[in-house]
Amino acid sequence: MFTKILIANRGEIACRVIRTARKLGIATVAVYSEADKDARHVDMADEAVLIGPPPSKESYLVIPTIIDACRRTGAQAVHPGYGFLSENGEFARRLEDEGIIFIGPKAHSITAMGDKIASKRIAREAGVNTIPGYNDPIETTDQAIAIARSIGYPVMIKASAGGGGKGLRIAFNDGETDEGYRACRAEARNAFGDDRVFMEKFIEQPRHIEVQVLGDGHGNIVYLWERECSIQRRHQKVIEEAPSPFLDEATRLAMGEQAVALARAVDYQSAGTVEFVVGGNDRRFYFLEMNTRLQVEHPVTEMITGLDLVEQMIRVAAGEKLPFTQSQIRRDGWAIECRINAEDPFRGFLPSTGRLVRFLPPEDVSGSVRVDTGVYEGDEISMYYDSMIGKLITHAPERSQAITRMNDALNAFVIRGISSNIAFQSALIQHPRFVSGDFHTGLIAEEFPKGFHPSSLVHREPLLLAATAVYARRRYIHRAVRITGQLKGYERHVGDEWVVLMQGQKYALTLRLAPGGCDIVFQDQPHALRTNWELGDILLRGTWDDVPFCLQLERLGLRYRIVHWGTQVDAIVMTGRAAELLTLMPQKQPPDLSKFVLSPMPGLLAEVCVKVGQAVRAGETLAVIEAMKMQNTLKVESDRVVAEILAQPGDSLMVDQPIVRFT
């Protein structure tokens, strides 16, 4: 067994590997860029080595620098995590040449499966079902359009070296093929240094289901059941679960056997994933790709099998045999994972950067809630790296119980200082289609066609939110009137009658403080709110008519912001007379920004596609912004004429920074 390993990665996965290495008694070496000098994985490791400036192409992707760090620290092996160099065959070969063990598959396996064109040929030869398409590199847009027409729309354009939703577009016509082909090549070139793309038929209403495989150096290969990964946005996974609620046992067995056959065809050694697209009507499945690395969603497999996949990777790399056979792999209960990303739901889920002013993951009070993260309170989310800041995983004997535990955990997950997708995850977890298991990869696009805003959701128990707002207001006033030194004879009178203005509705409530909470009367109906909440706490836990709940509550001046079940409301609590006067006050109008194109996110301005004086039509591209390894295209919403270019390619943009002004 190794005595010291280096983790060639950052963030959550680096911390995850360090925890397992520590359990095995293995010393760890972290590598970090200048932007990550205070990062959590640096603090957790036994040693840390600076490897370069913030951009990943100058630090985490520089192979000679990583190898030099191994030499300097005496690391015997390298775990690549996922992303960065994890599927780089050249990196694995260079390590082998240096006598350093790569904790992952052999270089020839990475090369064979990392090239999506070659992998499909190998899959066909191994007897694995494959999707119709064109598997050679496409050289021009004209060729791409011709191929798309021959396959038949819709088609999927994919980068050969792509992954994580990068270098991937769906096209339904010639124009989308032209634009998607160019975008895929640009993203793949920037993210992977390989701009080759290919094309295949897009299966409509598909399920995305993947099979976890594990092989050793002694010819043993097993599959560890499947993961359902169909809840996606822009081709990036949002929620994963194991097992799949869609598969029957016959399909599950067939997929597992084909995954093992493919792994055996490339002499696979380590953990890997074979991804399939499954037809929603007939359960026919087709090979998509093989990820020759650990997956982000591996914890759900660990929860139902009881195995530590990182530990198995380390042991296999050290030459050990798998300690179990296929028949000994258990499938216990149900696990669900939500990816917690630094995204702004108010701006179409564009990346959100900044400092984590508050970061309070939910507590594991039941032994079935797990949080994998690479950040801590006070940390900074950088524009240079991926937007994922953590993963929330729940486990239970039944799927419905795992959903309930996830819902409770999301209610208790506090992030402040940056925007996150927690509210959106909560809305998805409660969505009837998710709860029923009747969904496919287009669920988010179909159910949230105009994006998501937590204040737009209708809470199924608005009275609970109104009651907690009144209770908080009453507690704050109760503290204020008890402060000493007030002018005698002018003490503030506090009544029991209150009005809550919330989401355009008015709630007239009567509140009386009671031991451990308060009693509420609304429309002559009594209710009981009981809680041990202290002033200033963000989390308010308690019971509402004897039913437990947990929500987030903050005082923002005269407003009380409440977050619960994915809904965010701002409640104003006042007397009845004050509520009447408020409705008579004129509302302030926002400034007119219609003549400007503003940056919707912090990032690098990669391209300005218009000139001063140019007439542009609705739908035309104005600019391209790069942030968190993704290209984001800004388009004009109506016919306009460009009056002024306010930013230049190469500029680092702030949120709402003007880029273009129209006449």
Side-chain angles (χ1 to χ4, degrees):
M1 181 54 70
F2 311 116
T3 58
K4 182 185 290 188
I5 65 173
L6 182 144
I7 299 97
N9 218 299
R10 64 178 300 280
E12 170 267 325
I13 184 56
C15 297
R16 165 74 186 87
V17 175
I18 290 170
R19 285 195 298 272
T20 291
R22 184 177 295 165
K23 179 180 69 175
L24 297 175
I26 301 171
T28 56
V29 179
V31 293
Y32 65 96
S33 71
E34 293 170 355
D36 280 339
K37 59 183 175 59
D38 298 317
R40 185 174 189 170
H41 74 282
V42 175
D43 183 62
M44 287 181 63
D46 298 294
E47 300 176 59
V49 178
L50 175 65
I51 55 173
S56 56
K57 63 183 179 182
E58 301 177 32
S59 51
Y60 294 103
L61 292 174
V62 182
I63 293 175
T65 305
I66 301 293
I67 292 176
D68 181 64
C70 292
R71 293 197 200 101
R72 290 162 55 188
T73 59
Q76 303 154 302
V78 172
H79 196 298
Y82 39 71
F84 292 141
L85 297 171
S86 61
E87 294 182 282
N88 188 307
E90 176 62 21
F91 181 50
R93 276 189 291 270
R94 294 279 296 277
L95 288 174
E96 291 175 7
D97 293 342
E98 295 287 336
I100 301 169
I101 302 299
F102 181 74
I103 303 176
K106 299 301 181 183
H108 65 84
S109 301
I110 298 174
T111 301
M113 291 291 100
D115 187 320
K116 291 180 174 57
I117 295 173
S119 68
K120 290 185 182 298
R121 183 172 59 253
I122 296 172
R124 285 194 298 270
E125 294 171 354
V128 179
N129 306 339
T130 58
I131 302 174
Y134 187 87
N135 295 323
D136 293 321
I138 302 172
E139 302 297 337
T140 67
T141 55
D142 289 341
Q143 184 188 11
I145 291 171
I147 292 170
R149 290 175 177 174
S150 67
I151 295 174
Y153 288 113
V155 297
M156 182 176 288
I157 308 165
K158 302 177 71 174
S160 181
K166 300 173 185 65
L168 187 152
R169 293 291 191 280
I170 296 172
F172 289 84
N173 53 55
D174 291 354
E176 292 180 1
T177 299
D178 187 334
E179 181 179 328
Y181 172 78
R182 297 175 189 274
C184 283
R185 291 195 67 173
E187 283 186 3
R189 188 185 307 115
N190 291 335
F192 312 108
D194 182 350
D195 66 355
R196 292 177 301 152
V197 300
F198 67 102
M199 191 180 296
E200 63 190 19
K201 179 70 175 177
F202 176 63
I203 307 299
E204 298 189 76
Q205 296 190 346
R207 308 280 294 222
H208 185 135
I209 301 176
E210 59 190 28
V211 177
Q212 176 72 58
V213 296
L214 184 64
D216 62 22
H218 304 274
N220 303 304
I221 302 177
V222 297
Y223 65 92
L224 309 180
W225 311 113
E226 81 285 350
R227 296 186 287 257
E228 174 74 67
C229 305
S230 299
I231 304 298
Q232 302 180 8
R233 192 184 64 80
R234 292 183 64 181
H235 313 298
Q236 290 190 305
K237 299 166 187 173
V238 177
I239 298 175
E240 300 100 346
E241 58 182 309
S244 167
F246 181 66
L247 295 187
D248 54 33
E249 290 302 324
T251 307
R252 178 174 287 117
L253 175 63
M255 291 177 69
E257 290 178 344
Q258 287 200 16
V260 169
L262 180 61
R264 196 172 299 282
V266 292
D267 186 29
Y268 200 83
Q269 302 174 32
S270 194
T273 302
V274 181
E275 300 193 355
F276 295 94
V277 59
V278 185
N281 297 323
D282 54 15
R283 290 192 176 89
R284 290 185 179 180
F285 59 91
Y286 305 93
F287 170 70
L288 276 177
E289 61 185 1
M290 184 176 189
N291 292 301
T292 54
R293 55 173 168 83
L294 194 67
Q295 290 279 88
V296 174
E297 57 272 22
H298 74 274
V300 294
T301 296
E302 293 182 327
M303 297 292 260
I304 68 168
T305 61
L307 298 172
D308 183 331
L309 291 183
V310 174
E311 177 182 348
Q312 295 304 319
M313 293 178 73
I314 293 173
R315 292 190 179 281
V316 166
E320 297 184 14
K321 291 184 178 180
L322 294 181
F324 44 78
T325 63
Q326 186 67 59
S327 62
Q328 295 174 314
I329 299 169
R330 69 178 189 178
R331 193 174 80 219
D332 179 21
W334 217 283
I336 300 175
E337 173 180 297
C338 286
R339 299 191 186 193
I340 307 303
N341 296 334
E343 299 172 332
D344 191 344
F346 297 87
R347 297 174 180 269
F349 296 93
L350 292 173
S352 177
T353 60
R355 192 163 300 282
L356 282 167
V357 177
R358 298 296 302 273
F359 184 75
L360 301 173
E363 299 177 358
D364 182 14
V365 294
S366 62
S368 56
V369 177
R370 167 176 166 180
V371 178
D372 284 11
T373 183
V375 301
Y376 43 68
E377 191 165 288
D379 212 343
E380 186 165 352
I381 304 302
S382 168
M383 65 178 283
Y384 295 103
Y385 310 115
D386 192 88
S387 64
M388 191 180 71
I389 57 177
K391 302 179 302 194
L392 178 61
I393 308 101
T394 59
H395 180 256
E398 302 292 338
R399 184 172 187 265
S400 60
Q401 296 170 317
I403 291 174
T404 298
R405 287 177 179 173
M406 178 60 73
N407 205 17
D408 293 340
L410 288 167
N411 282 335
F413 205 140
V414 177
I415 293 179
R416 297 294 184 271
I418 63 167
S419 298
S420 79
N421 66 336
I422 289 177
F424 182 58
Q425 291 280 19
S426 185
L428 285 172
I429 285 292
Q430 299 173 81
H431 197 282
R433 285 179 62 182
F434 178 80
V435 173
S436 69
D438 180 20
F439 55 82
H440 52 78
T441 58
L443 181 143
I444 291 177
E446 293 174 358
E447 300 296 333
F448 301 91
K450 297 182 179 179
F452 171 79
H453 195 299
S455 62
S456 67
L457 295 181
V458 178
H459 198 280
R460 60 178 180 264
E461 287 192 44
L463 184 58
L464 167 63
L465 309 187
T468 54
V470 167
Y471 177 68
R473 177 69 172 158
R474 184 64 179 82
R475 287 282 305 276
Y476 276 109
I477 293 177
H478 184 70
R479 181 181 66 176
V481 299
R482 293 168 62 89
I483 295 175
T484 60
Q486 298 186 62
L487 187 63
K488 185 172 292 187
Y490 292 88
E491 296 87 352
R492 183 174 180 179
H493 172 70
V494 184
D496 296 333
E497 307 300 323
W498 300 91
V499 172
V500 180
L501 303 180
M502 185 178 72
Q503 288 190 312
Q505 301 295 317
K506 181 186 294 185
Y507 299 85
L509 307 177
T510 300
L511 177 148
R512 293 184 178 87
L513 293 177
C518 67
D519 294 320
I520 295 285
V521 177
F522 176 67
Q523 296 180 346
D524 298 326
Q525 295 296 315
H527 301 273
L529 173 65
R530 297 294 181 264
T531 177
N532 59 2
W533 178 72
E534 297 292 337
L535 293 178
D537 287 351
I538 290 182
L539 291 179
L540 192 156
R541 302 177 188 272
T543 61
W544 174 248
D545 291 340
D546 298 324
V547 178
F549 72 91
C550 173
L551 54 76
Q552 299 179 30
L553 183 146
E554 293 175 273
R555 184 184 184 188
L556 303 174
L558 297 176
R559 296 174 294 124
Y560 292 84
R561 176 161 293 173
I562 306 170
V563 179
H564 187 236
W565 289 341
T567 303
Q568 175 182 299
V569 301
D570 285 351
I572 299 177
V573 184
M574 55 185 65
T575 64
R577 178 57 179 163
E580 292 177 10
L581 294 175
L582 180 65
T583 60
L584 300 176
M585 295 178 64
Q587 299 300 310
K588 184 178 179 181
Q589 297 299 317
D592 181 14
L593 299 175
S594 61
K595 292 184 178 181
F596 295 90
V597 175
L598 307 179
S599 176
M601 75 198 94
L604 178 70
L605 182 58
E607 185 179 2
V608 177
C609 305
V610 295
K611 299 178 181 179
V612 173
Q614 179 179 342
V616 291
R617 295 187 177 277
E620 289 188 23
T621 299
L622 293 171
V624 178
I625 300 174
E626 292 182 1
M628 292 184 171
K629 301 190 289 185
M630 293 289 286
Q631 285 202 334
N632 300 273
T633 301
L634 304 185
K635 297 184 178 182
V636 64
E637 296 181 355
S638 60
D639 294 354
R640 308 297 291 269
V641 176
V642 178
E644 188 178 3
I645 305 296
L646 301 170
Q648 301 300 321
D651 288 354
S652 292
L653 302 176
M654 298 181 294
V655 174
D656 289 335
Q657 180 174 335
I659 301 172
V660 173
R661 179 175 66 85
F662 298 118
T663 58

